[in-house]
Amino acid sequence: MAAPSAGDNEITLSGAGASDKDFDNNGISFQGSWGQYLSDSSLWGIRQSLGISDSEGESTDFTGSTRAFYDYHFGSGALKPFIGASVGGIYGDGVDDSFTAGPELGLKYWVKDDVFITGMMEYQFLFKNSDGASDNYDDGAIFYSVGVGFNY
């Protein structure tokens, strides 16, 4: 498998959903990212998440999160683990608009030279200012995603 190199771009797409048995309570989420390799191992980019929840008798809520990220990839084969960090903001219905930051880790497995499957886990904590960042670090949430990616 050909590995991405400095200057290559990458996009990823993932999604998830859940409903109760009667489809009265529904939730769906999407995530996409664009990144550019600074070297064979380092990638920076922008990640966008969108969540939609709808419950019977309630209004439909939309939430979003936009984050800048940096990931470092290990190894040289088709399977590459990575570790990184992101910082950005969360906004929308039913959430307190605020900053978000935290570490992330994951795996990418190239099935073709320019196509890979990815899985990632992010720990995100919310804060309004620098004092809140240190106060809220222990009160974060873990987010998981599985998707597909493309290099070009």
Side-chain angles (χ1 to χ4, degrees):
M1 295 289 160
S5 57
D8 286 353
N9 293 296
E10 144 178 326
I11 59 169
T12 63
L13 302 169
S14 61
S19 297
D20 65 9
K21 65 181 180 71
D22 296 322
F23 292 95
D24 292 332
N25 299 298
N26 305 288
I28 190 167
S29 64
F30 303 98
Q31 180 169 279
S33 69
W34 169 87
Q36 185 174 56
Y37 282 86
L38 302 172
S39 71
D40 295 352
S41 300
S42 62
L43 173 72
W44 79 276
I46 302 293
R47 188 169 290 122
Q48 177 68 47
S49 301
L50 173 65
I52 304 167
S53 61
D54 183 48
S55 297
E56 186 174 2
E58 300 290 327
S59 63
T60 301
D61 289 335
F62 295 89
T63 58
S65 177
T66 306
R67 303 167 314 280
F69 70 91
Y70 173 83
D71 291 335
Y72 185 84
H73 297 76
F74 300 92
S76 60
L79 180 66
K80 285 190 167 188
F82 64 89
I83 188 167
S86 67
V87 63
I90 188 168
Y91 43 86
D93 304 325
V95 298
D96 191 14
D97 297 354
S98 61
F99 296 107
T100 182
E104 57 191 39
L105 60 92
L107 291 170
K108 293 179 182 173
Y109 180 75
W110 272 263
V111 294
K112 292 177 55 178
D113 284 349
D114 56 353
V115 178
F116 59 90
I117 298 168
T118 184
M120 184 175 67
M121 182 175 71
E122 298 177 75
Y123 179 77
Q124 294 182 5
F125 62 96
L126 306 176
F127 59 97
K128 292 279 189 186
N129 55 43
S130 60
D131 291 336
S134 61
D135 294 342
N136 292 339
Y137 183 79
D138 292 337
D139 297 326
I142 298 173
F143 297 90
Y144 306 93
S145 64
V146 175
V148 62
F150 307 92
N151 295 115
Y152 60 98

